[in-house]
Amino acid sequence: VNYCIASKTGGGLLYYNTKMFEEAGITAISGLGSSPGLSNVLVSHAHREFTSVEEVHIQGVTWRAIAPSPGLLDTILWELADDTSTRQYFQDGRYNWVSSMEGSRVAHFPPPVGRQYVYVVSHTEPRTLPTHFPQLKYCAMRVTWPVELMDDMRVLNKYGLLDSVELPGVPGVTAMDATRARIWQKLGGVRTSPCLLFTQVEIIGVH
C-alpha cells in the first residue's frame, strides 16, 4: 500500500471518492488489489525502466460463475451493461466511450483459459495513469469472462434487461435491478472450478 501511494498510483476507491473523504474529514487507505493496484504499480516500475511509456494495455480474465457473491454479480452486470457511461479508453489526450463488448483484442492466458478476446471495460487506470504519466498516448483496460457468460450478457443487453431505466408500474426498480435480483435468487453463491483470475500488463515505450 505504501508503494502504491508513494508512486501516486492509487486505485478506484481513492480516485472516485477523494473529495468525499476530504469533506468528511477522514483518511482513506486503499488496499492493493490486482487491477487497479498491481497493474498501476507495474506501470510505475516500467516508467523508471523506460525513457518514455507511450501505451499501456491492461487485460484480464475472470474465469468463474456469474454470481459467486453479490459483489461479483454486480461487477459483471455493470461492466457489460450497454449504458455504462464510464466505459472509456484514453487516446491522444481524449477519453473515448465504447459500447458493451467493443474495442476487442486477442489475449493469451495460461491454461486452461488460453486464447481469448478481451473487451474494453470501465476501470480507473485509463483515468489515473495519464494523470501521473503525461507522456501516455494510449491506455485501456480490457477484460473477459467465460465465453458462455459473455454470450449470456449479449442476450441480456439485446433485450434491454441490463438497462438502467425504471420498469413500468414499479417505481424505483430498474430493468438491471430486476435482472440482478432474479439471477441472485436462482444462481447466487454457486461456484465453479477452476475459479481463476489473470491480469496482464503490456507496456509499449522507448527503452
Side-chain angles (χ1 to χ4, degrees):
V1 174
N2 289 337
Y3 190 111
C4 194
I5 293 173
S7 60
K8 298 181 179 179
T9 56
L13 175 67
L14 295 181
Y15 177 76
Y16 285 122
N17 299 297
T18 299
K19 186 175 180 181
M20 179 182 69
F21 295 135
E22 290 175 350
E23 291 176 350
I26 61 176
T27 300
I29 301 175
S30 177
L32 185 61
S34 173
S35 175
L38 180 58
S39 58
N40 306 63
V41 172
L42 291 174
V43 174
S44 180
H45 176 73
H47 182 258
R48 292 193 299 274
E49 298 293 324
F50 283 66
T51 302
S52 67
V53 174
E54 298 180 352
E55 295 184 25
V56 173
H57 299 268
I58 305 168
Q59 48 208 26
V61 60
T62 304
W63 217 248
R64 61 168 174 83
I66 190 172
S69 71
L72 291 176
L73 173 59
D74 287 345
T75 296
I76 187 172
L77 297 183
W78 177 73
E79 291 281 16
L80 298 179
D82 268 338
D83 62 0
T84 297
S85 62
T86 54
R87 187 189 302 107
Q88 300 175 339
Y89 65 92
F90 175 84
Q91 186 173 25
D92 296 327
R94 298 182 60 183
Y95 293 95
N96 304 280
W97 181 84
V98 296
S99 60
S100 181
M101 299 190 209
E102 286 194 354
S104 66
R105 194 169 192 248
V106 174
H108 297 271
F109 298 100
V113 177
R115 181 180 182 272
Q116 299 290 329
Y117 283 98
V118 290
Y119 305 88
V120 173
V121 295
S122 178
H123 253 240
T124 57
E125 291 96 327
R127 286 281 175 179
T128 58
L129 291 175
T131 300
H132 300 301
F133 308 108
Q135 76 276 20
L136 265 182
K137 297 179 181 178
Y138 185 92
C139 183
M141 175 74 189
R142 295 178 176 88
V143 175
T144 194
W145 284 262
V147 175
E148 60 270 23
L149 287 188
M150 300 299 282
D151 290 341
D152 290 343
M153 294 302 110
R154 288 185 178 92
V155 174
L156 292 176
N157 272 319
K158 178 180 179 180
Y159 292 107
L161 297 176
L162 299 182
D163 291 351
S164 56
V165 297
E166 287 191 1
L167 296 175
V170 192
V173 178
T174 67
M176 170 74 89
D177 294 334
T179 299
R180 179 194 298 112
R182 178 57 181 145
I183 291 174
W184 179 254
Q185 184 182 45
K186 184 176 179 65
L187 298 170
V190 174
R191 298 175 180 268
T192 56
S193 181
C195 182
L196 304 169
L197 171 67
F198 293 112
T199 301
Q200 299 174 342
V201 180
E202 179 183 337
I203 297 164
I204 300 173
V206 179
H207 200 273

Coordinates of all heavy atoms in Angstrom, one line a residue, residues 66 73 76-78 80-82 100-101 145-159 162 179 183:
I66 N -21.3 -16.8 -12.6 CA -21.8 -15.4 -12.7 C -22.0 -14.8 -11.4 O -21.9 -13.5 -11.3 CB -23.1 -15.4 -13.6 CG1 -23.6 -14.0 -13.9 CG2 -24.2 -16.2 -12.8 CD1 -24.7 -13.9 -14.8
L73 N -21.4 -10.5 -8.8 CA -22.6 -10.4 -9.8 C -22.7 -8.9 -10.2 O -22.9 -8.7 -11.4 CB -23.9 -10.9 -9.1 CG -25.1 -10.7 -9.9 CD1 -25.1 -11.4 -11.3 CD2 -26.4 -11.1 -9.1
I76 N -20.0 -8.0 -13.0 CA -20.1 -8.4 -14.4 C -21.3 -7.7 -15.1 O -21.2 -7.3 -16.2 CB -20.2 -9.9 -14.5 CG1 -20.2 -10.4 -16.0 CG2 -21.4 -10.5 -13.8 CD1 -20.2 -11.9 -16.2
L77 N -22.4 -7.5 -14.3 CA -23.6 -6.9 -14.9 C -23.3 -5.4 -15.3 O -23.6 -4.9 -16.3 CB -24.8 -7.0 -14.0 CG -25.3 -8.4 -13.7 CD1 -26.5 -8.3 -12.8 CD2 -25.6 -9.1 -15.0
W78 N -22.6 -4.7 -14.3 CA -22.3 -3.3 -14.6 C -21.3 -3.1 -15.6 O -21.4 -2.2 -16.5 CB -21.9 -2.6 -13.2 CG -21.5 -1.2 -13.4 CD1 -22.3 -0.1 -13.6 CD2 -20.2 -0.7 -13.4 NE1 -21.6 1.0 -13.7 CE2 -20.3 0.7 -13.6 CE3 -18.9 -1.2 -13.2 CZ2 -19.2 1.6 -13.6 CZ3 -17.8 -0.4 -13.3 CH2 -17.9 1.0 -13.5
L80 N -20.6 -4.9 -18.2 CA -21.0 -5.3 -19.5 C -22.4 -4.7 -19.9 O -22.8 -4.9 -21.1 CB -21.1 -6.8 -19.6 CG -19.7 -7.5 -19.4 CD1 -19.8 -9.0 -19.5 CD2 -18.7 -7.0 -20.4
A81 N -23.0 -3.9 -19.1 CA -24.3 -3.3 -19.5 C -24.0 -2.2 -20.6 O -23.0 -1.5 -20.6 CB -24.9 -2.6 -18.3
D82 N -24.9 -2.2 -21.5 CA -24.8 -1.2 -22.7 C -24.6 0.2 -22.2 O -23.9 1.0 -22.8 CB -25.9 -1.4 -23.6 CG -25.7 -2.4 -24.7 OD1 -24.5 -2.7 -25.0 OD2 -26.6 -2.9 -25.3
S100 N -20.9 -1.9 -25.0 CA -20.5 -3.2 -24.4 C -19.9 -4.1 -25.5 O -20.3 -4.2 -26.6 CB -21.7 -3.8 -23.8 OG -21.4 -5.0 -23.2
M101 N -18.8 -4.7 -25.0 CA -18.0 -5.7 -25.8 C -17.5 -5.1 -27.1 O -17.4 -5.8 -28.2 CB -18.9 -6.9 -26.1 CG -19.3 -7.6 -24.8 SD -20.1 -9.2 -25.1 CE -21.2 -9.3 -23.6
W145 N -14.9 -12.7 -19.4 CA -15.4 -13.8 -18.6 C -15.5 -15.0 -19.4 O -15.3 -15.0 -20.6 CB -16.7 -13.4 -17.9 CG -16.6 -12.4 -16.8 CD1 -16.5 -12.6 -15.5 CD2 -16.5 -10.9 -16.9 NE1 -16.4 -11.5 -14.7 CE2 -16.4 -10.4 -15.6 CE3 -16.4 -10.0 -18.0 CZ2 -16.3 -9.0 -15.4 CZ3 -16.3 -8.7 -17.8 CH2 -16.3 -8.2 -16.5
P146 N -15.9 -16.2 -18.9 CA -16.1 -17.3 -19.7 C -17.0 -17.1 -20.9 O -18.0 -16.3 -20.8 CB -16.7 -18.4 -18.7 CG -16.2 -18.0 -17.4 CD -16.1 -16.5 -17.4
V147 N -16.7 -17.7 -22.0 CA -17.4 -17.4 -23.3 C -19.0 -17.5 -23.1 O -19.7 -16.7 -23.6 CB -17.0 -18.4 -24.4 CG1 -17.8 -18.2 -25.6 CG2 -15.5 -18.1 -24.6
E148 N -19.4 -18.5 -22.4 CA -20.9 -18.7 -22.2 C -21.5 -17.6 -21.4 O -22.6 -17.1 -21.7 CB -21.2 -20.0 -21.5 CG -20.6 -20.2 -20.1 CD -19.3 -20.9 -20.1 OE1 -18.5 -20.8 -21.1 OE2 -18.9 -21.5 -19.1
L149 N -20.8 -17.0 -20.5 CA -21.3 -15.8 -19.8 C -21.3 -14.6 -20.7 O -22.2 -13.8 -20.6 CB -20.4 -15.5 -18.5 CG -20.6 -16.5 -17.3 CD1 -19.8 -15.9 -16.1 CD2 -22.0 -16.7 -17.0
M150 N -20.3 -14.4 -21.5 CA -20.3 -13.3 -22.4 C -21.5 -13.4 -23.4 O -22.1 -12.4 -23.7 CB -19.0 -13.3 -23.2 CG -17.7 -13.1 -22.3 SD -17.7 -11.6 -21.3 CE -17.2 -10.4 -22.6
D151 N -21.8 -14.6 -23.9 CA -22.9 -14.8 -24.7 C -24.2 -14.5 -24.0 O -25.1 -13.9 -24.6 CB -23.0 -16.3 -25.2 CG -21.9 -16.6 -26.2 OD1 -21.3 -15.6 -26.8 OD2 -21.6 -17.8 -26.4
D152 N -24.3 -14.9 -22.7 CA -25.5 -14.5 -21.9 C -25.7 -13.0 -21.8 O -26.8 -12.5 -21.9 CB -25.4 -15.2 -20.5 CG -25.5 -16.7 -20.5 OD1 -26.0 -17.2 -21.5 OD2 -25.1 -17.3 -19.5
M153 N -24.6 -12.3 -21.6 CA -24.6 -10.9 -21.4 C -25.1 -10.2 -22.7 O -25.8 -9.2 -22.7 CB -23.3 -10.3 -21.0 CG -22.8 -10.7 -19.6 SD -24.0 -10.3 -18.3 CE -24.6 -11.9 -17.9
R154 N -24.7 -10.7 -23.9 CA -25.1 -10.2 -25.2 C -26.7 -10.3 -25.3 O -27.3 -9.4 -25.7 CB -24.5 -10.9 -26.3 CG -23.0 -10.6 -26.5 CD -22.4 -11.3 -27.8 NE -21.0 -11.0 -27.9 CZ -20.0 -11.7 -27.5 NH1 -20.3 -12.8 -26.8 NH2 -18.8 -11.3 -27.7
V155 N -27.2 -11.4 -24.8 CA -28.7 -11.6 -24.9 C -29.4 -10.7 -23.9 O -30.4 -10.0 -24.3 CB -29.0 -13.1 -24.6 CG1 -30.5 -13.2 -24.5 CG2 -28.5 -14.0 -25.6
L156 N -28.9 -10.5 -22.7 CA -29.5 -9.6 -21.8 C -29.5 -8.2 -22.3 O -30.5 -7.5 -22.2 CB -28.8 -9.7 -20.4 CG -28.9 -11.0 -19.7 CD1 -28.1 -11.0 -18.4 CD2 -30.4 -11.3 -19.3
N157 N -28.4 -7.8 -22.9 CA -28.3 -6.4 -23.5 C -29.2 -6.3 -24.6 O -29.9 -5.2 -24.8 CB -26.9 -6.1 -23.9 CG -26.0 -5.5 -22.8 OD1 -26.5 -4.7 -22.0 ND2 -24.8 -6.0 -22.7
K158 N -29.3 -7.3 -25.5 CA -30.2 -7.2 -26.7 C -31.6 -6.9 -26.3 O -32.3 -6.1 -27.0 CB -30.1 -8.5 -27.4 CG -31.0 -8.6 -28.6 CD -30.9 -10.0 -29.3 CE -31.8 -10.0 -30.6 NZ -31.7 -11.3 -31.3
Y159 N -32.1 -7.5 -25.2 CA -33.5 -7.3 -24.8 C -33.7 -6.2 -23.7 O -34.7 -6.1 -23.1 CB -34.1 -8.6 -24.3 CG -34.2 -9.6 -25.5 CD1 -33.3 -10.7 -25.6 CD2 -35.1 -9.4 -26.5 CE1 -33.4 -11.5 -26.7 CE2 -35.3 -10.2 -27.6 CZ -34.4 -11.3 -27.7 OH -34.5 -12.2 -28.7
L162 N -30.4 -5.2 -19.0 CA -29.4 -4.6 -18.1 C -29.5 -3.1 -18.2 O -28.6 -2.4 -17.7 CB -28.0 -5.0 -18.6 CG -27.7 -6.5 -18.6 CD1 -26.3 -6.8 -19.0 CD2 -27.9 -7.1 -17.2
T179 N -33.2 -7.9 -13.1 CA -32.3 -8.9 -13.6 C -31.4 -9.4 -12.5 O -31.2 -10.6 -12.3 CB -31.6 -8.4 -14.8 OG1 -32.5 -8.1 -15.8 CG2 -30.7 -9.5 -15.4
I183 N -31.2 -13.3 -11.0 CA -30.0 -14.1 -11.1 C -29.5 -14.5 -9.8 O -29.1 -15.7 -9.6 CB -28.9 -13.3 -11.9 CG1 -29.4 -13.1 -13.4 CG2 -27.6 -14.1 -11.9 CD1 -28.4 -12.3 -14.2

